[in-house]
Amino acid sequence: MASVLGMFNRRMNGAVMALTEMPVIGPFMARGLVVITYTGRRSGRSFSTPVSYVRSGDTIKIGVAMPDGKKWWRNFLDAGGPISLHLNGIDRSGHAVARRDAKGRVTVEVRLDTAD
């Protein structure tokens, strides 16, 4: 069952990422979605996934819905790690740190590199 759900999730993420690149709908979707790319701590593989975000200056906040069912954010625990974002048609780099609050909610905060 888990592999079927994983395959469905990968296809949905792929479809959403494709929609963000379309000329008409892409800019509309980009208002609340960003594609992040990161390297897995254990695997060393590169992964990309669309996430919703809120931006304030050079800070991006990503709320992780149902965090116990997802693993990507764990790459940014403790001291965090590097991340890339395809933001408004431009690739940006930054440093992401994940935190879980007392209620179990997870937020990943990204500080965008200013040199970009």
Side-chain angles (χ1 to χ4, degrees), residues 37 44 65 80 93 116:
T37 302
S93 61
D116 286 346

Side-chain angles (χ1 to χ4, degrees), residues 8 11 14-15 27 30 34 37 40 48 57 63 79 82 90-91 94 99-100 112:
F8 175 77
R11 288 196 177 168
V34 63
T37 302
S48 294
I90 300 169
D91 289 328
R99 292 191 176 80
R100 185 186 284 265
L112 296 172

Side-chain angles (χ1 to χ4, degrees), residues 82-106:
I83 192 169
S84 297
L85 301 91
H86 190 70
L87 188 63
N88 299 325
I90 300 169
D91 289 328
R92 300 284 307 266
S93 61
H95 185 83
V97 177
R99 292 191 176 80
R100 185 186 284 265
D101 68 15
K103 293 184 179 181
R105 295 176 295 214
V106 173

Side-chain angles (χ1 to χ4, degrees), residues 36-116:
I36 61 169
T37 302
Y38 60 94
T39 301
R41 277 194 205 185
R42 285 195 248 173
S43 70
R45 292 177 34 211
S46 179
F47 298 93
S48 294
T49 190
V51 295
S52 60
Y53 74 99
V54 175
R55 182 176 184 175
S56 178
D58 285 335
T59 301
I60 304 288
K61 289 197 179 183
I62 302 166
V64 182
M66 299 181 292
D68 293 328
K70 297 177 179 145
K71 296 181 181 177
W72 70 264
W73 60 269
R74 291 176 175 94
N75 288 284
F76 305 106
L77 288 171
D78 303 321
I83 192 169
S84 297
L85 301 91
H86 190 70
L87 188 63
N88 299 325
I90 300 169
D91 289 328
R92 300 284 307 266
S93 61
H95 185 83
V97 177
R99 292 191 176 80
R100 185 186 284 265
D101 68 15
K103 293 184 179 181
R105 295 176 295 214
V106 173
T107 302
V108 177
E109 184 171 310
V110 178
R111 290 261 178 211
L112 296 172
D113 294 338
T114 55
D116 286 346

